[in-house]
């Protein structure tokens, strides 16, 4: 089963083609798309920012799970039936507190491993890898922080709001601490799609990597892997036909 992870450098909305691809991957499963976020005043009015582009792509059913007011058991029972999972943006340490450091993390990881797409926005992106690495600009202590993440990918470090926060040195520090990991600096209104842990596509013009100590901009790939996905499906079908012929 393929694994699908979408990481964005700021809060919602989705980028347009990523939204279409997320919806397509969620079609594999019955159920609604779950939206997990740290509760704040007026949150209901903000939810269309998460869902509008998904709705344009055909999504109709969403479960909104504000934290920490939603009981953990309710979150778990909802997420384990989800066709896709969105993790919102905000205070990264709070997302780690209420999602990573709770039983919710296990059901998110299990659903991801079954093939349900997961999308993380800013804080939601940061908690997705094995290590959640938090910029000094993203915590009250103003220091580099590392804590446990969801572990959806074991060898990945990322920085969000990358150009806007001028966080080149922060990402370099993370890379030095995890030299065997892939790394990405993701700008606001930009995102990456990782298929089975490998970069498959980007959208938006601000995706960077630290390569040999230098910041290198990755050329945008606006194909969003539709061509690659169709090719894989065709190859899979051809292989199955060949097996049947044999």
């Amino acid at each position: 089963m393929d694994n699908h992870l979408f990481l964005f450098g700021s809060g919602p909305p989705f980028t347009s083609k990523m939204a279409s691809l997320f919806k397509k991957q969620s079609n594999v499963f019955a159920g609604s798309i779950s939206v997990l976020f740290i509760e704040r005043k007026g949150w209901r009015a903000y939810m269309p920012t998460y869902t509008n582009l998904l709705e344009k792509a055909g999504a109709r059913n969403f479960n909104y799970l504000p934290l920490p007011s939603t009981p953990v058991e309710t979150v778990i029972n909802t997420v384990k039936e989800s066709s896709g999972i969105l993790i919102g943006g905000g205070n990264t340490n709070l997302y780690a507190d209420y999602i990573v450091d709770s039983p919710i993390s296990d059901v998110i990881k299990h659903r991801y491993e079954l093939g349900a797409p997961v999308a993380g926005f800013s804080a939601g992106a940061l908690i997705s890898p094995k290590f959640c690495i938090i910029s000094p600009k993203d915590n009250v202590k103003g220091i580099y922080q590392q804590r446990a993440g969801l572990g959806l990918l074991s060898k990945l470090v990322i920085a969000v709001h990358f150009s806007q926060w001028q966080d080149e040195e922060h990402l370099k520090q993370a890379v030095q601490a995890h030299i065997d990991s892939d790394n990405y600096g993701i700008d606001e209104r930009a995102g990456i799609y990782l298929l089975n842990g490998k970069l498959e596509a980007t959208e938006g013009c601000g995706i960077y990597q630290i390569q040999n100590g230098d910041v290198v901009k990755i050329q945008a790939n606006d194909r969003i892997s539709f061509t690659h996905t169709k090719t894989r499906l065709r190859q899979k079908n051809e292989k199955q036909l060949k097996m049947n012929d044999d």
Side-chain angles (χ1 to χ4, degrees):
M1 183 64 69
D2 287 333
N3 305 128
H4 310 280
L5 183 60
F6 299 77
L7 302 177
F8 296 93
S10 59
F14 270 88
T15 54
S16 60
K17 293 180 182 178
M18 292 283 191
S20 295
L21 183 55
F22 183 96
K23 173 58 175 65
K24 181 177 181 178
Q25 304 299 354
S26 73
N27 288 341
V28 174
F29 299 91
S32 302
I33 295 171
S34 291
V35 186
L36 288 76
F37 57 96
I38 300 301
E39 187 170 7
R40 63 182 186 182
K41 185 176 180 180
W43 65 263
R44 292 183 185 277
Y46 189 64
M47 289 301 102
T49 313
Y50 285 99
T51 62
N52 277 345
L53 287 176
L54 292 174
E55 290 175 343
K56 287 182 179 179
R60 293 293 177 266
N61 299 311
F62 301 90
N63 287 316
Y64 301 113
L65 301 168
L67 299 170
S69 62
T70 306
V72 169
E73 183 177 358
T74 299
V75 177
I76 290 173
N77 290 335
T78 302
V79 170
K80 72 181 181 181
E81 301 296 332
S82 297
S83 60
I85 301 164
L86 310 184
I87 306 174
N91 184 310
T92 303
N93 275 304
L94 288 180
Y95 276 85
D97 290 342
Y98 292 122
I99 296 178
V100 178
D101 296 344
S102 85
I104 296 169
S105 62
D106 293 330
V107 70
I108 293 174
K109 188 173 183 179
H110 179 64
R111 203 67 185 155
Y112 169 77
E113 290 172 346
L114 288 176
V118 175
F121 297 87
S122 188
L126 290 173
I127 69 170
S128 294
K130 180 178 180 179
F131 297 106
C132 171
I133 298 174
I134 305 173
S135 167
K137 298 181 176 68
D138 191 23
N139 66 85
V140 295
K141 294 182 179 180
I143 60 174
Y144 175 102
Q145 293 181 330
Q146 176 177 301
R147 57 188 298 178
L150 288 169
L152 304 186
L153 295 179
S154 61
K155 293 185 180 297
L156 176 70
V157 296
I158 63 169
V160 297
H161 305 276
F162 185 67
S163 295
Q164 291 75 19
W165 286 357
Q166 298 181 334
D167 248 353
E168 294 87 350
E169 294 305 315
H170 167 65
L171 185 56
K172 287 180 180 179
Q173 184 175 356
V175 169
Q176 289 173 355
H178 300 275
I179 58 174
D180 60 342
S181 295
D182 293 331
N183 72 88
Y184 299 102
I186 311 172
D187 279 358
E188 295 175 3
R189 303 296 175 256
I192 62 176
Y193 166 49
L194 298 155
L195 174 63
N196 299 324
K198 299 298 182 183
L199 182 66
E200 178 75 358
T202 67
E203 190 172 17
C205 60
I207 309 294
Y208 301 84
Q209 277 189 316
I210 306 300
Q211 298 179 6
N212 299 318
D214 297 322
V215 179
V216 177
K217 187 173 184 178
I218 298 175
Q219 294 301 314
N221 173 6
D222 289 329
R223 291 174 297 174
I224 299 299
S225 298
F226 290 128
T227 300
H228 302 315
T229 302
K230 290 176 181 176
T231 299
R232 286 196 184 91
L233 290 172
R234 186 181 70 248
Q235 291 172 342
K236 182 177 180 180
N237 291 336
E238 289 173 350
K239 182 178 180 180
Q240 186 63 50
L241 287 171
K242 186 177 186 300
M243 291 174 62
N244 293 339
D245 289 342
D246 294 342

